[in-house]
Amino acid sequence: MRLVLATANPDKAREIADALSGFELVPRPADVPDVDETADTLEGNARLKAEALCAATGEPAVADDTGLEVDALDGRPGVYSSRFAGPEATYADNVAKLLADLEGVPDADRGARFRTVALARFPDGSEVVAEGTVDGHIAAEARGDEGFGYDPVFVPVDGDGRTFAEMPLAEKQAVSHRGRAFRALAEALQPRSGDDRRPIRP
């Protein structure tokens, strides 16, 4: 099955391609602009992006949205994770704000989870949705050079104490929110792989 990737973020695209290795993925056309993420849920933002790409290309499109939910911050930054420190924030800006907001919070209260919603949209208006989560906690300082986003400060509960940024891609993908979401999406798409006409979720 051929799917157009909604994201132009090379870090996210690499992880999605790894999880959807059995599919033909094509990059977003250069003349298709970014979609404003105006929804108040991860699924809503993923849908906005996939719908826009599907409409622009006339082909099935796949998109996702991810949020970091921190217990001590009442679930923030959540759907606003990519712009936690402002609309033009870099990865480093967002991490710095997160660590500043958690200054003085003890390790026992630094629980968090990553949540990803992956969505495939088809020209007939049908869609397939999958979700992946991973629990963990926020480290006291950034560690590691791999990954992106909040990876340098997120320690998954299923790991050995390293942050996502201290793990190679294959190891991270095995337990990460995005890896889980897109593996679930791939499994859900299998029945449709040989028939692009059959609706899955109208």
Side-chain angles (χ1 to χ4, degrees), residues 59-130:
E59 295 190 72
V62 64
D64 78 296
D65 199 27
T66 293
L68 175 66
E69 302 165 355
V70 181
D71 296 339
L73 301 180
D74 298 321
R76 291 181 291 118
V79 72
Y80 305 106
S81 294
S82 66
R83 49 194 185 278
F84 189 38
E88 303 299 324
T90 64
Y91 294 153
D93 293 336
N94 287 328
V95 167
K97 175 171 172 52
L98 177 63
L99 292 177
D101 286 357
L102 291 176
E103 186 174 359
V105 176
D107 288 346
D109 297 326
R110 298 172 75 93
R113 71 206 44 81
F114 268 125
R115 187 182 309 276
T116 290
V117 175
L119 189 147
R121 181 80 175 188
F122 295 87
D124 65 4
S126 63
E127 62 185 32
V128 179
V129 183

Side-chain angles (χ1 to χ4, degrees), residues 37-182:
E37 297 180 358
T38 56
D40 58 4
T41 64
L42 299 176
E43 182 173 329
N45 280 331
R47 181 172 291 112
L48 286 173
K49 292 180 280 190
E51 283 179 345
L53 261 292
C54 190
T57 64
E59 295 190 72
V62 64
D64 78 296
D65 199 27
T66 293
L68 175 66
E69 302 165 355
V70 181
D71 296 339
L73 301 180
D74 298 321
R76 291 181 291 118
V79 72
Y80 305 106
S81 294
S82 66
R83 49 194 185 278
F84 189 38
E88 303 299 324
T90 64
Y91 294 153
D93 293 336
N94 287 328
V95 167
K97 175 171 172 52
L98 177 63
L99 292 177
D101 286 357
L102 291 176
E103 186 174 359
V105 176
D107 288 346
D109 297 326
R110 298 172 75 93
R113 71 206 44 81
F114 268 125
R115 187 182 309 276
T116 290
V117 175
L119 189 147
R121 181 80 175 188
F122 295 87
D124 65 4
S126 63
E127 62 185 32
V128 179
V129 183
E131 182 175 305
T133 62
V134 59
D135 290 314
H137 71 270
I138 303 302
E141 60 184 9
R143 306 196 310 261
D145 300 314
E146 300 294 327
F148 63 101
Y150 297 94
D151 286 355
V153 293
F154 187 84
V155 181
V157 70
D158 296 330
D160 56 7
R162 288 175 295 161
T163 68
F164 272 158
E166 293 177 297
M167 299 179 182
L169 177 61
E171 195 172 344
K172 175 191 172 185
Q173 285 284 82
V175 298
S176 79
H177 48 295
R178 186 169 290 108
R180 288 171 173 171
F182 278 96

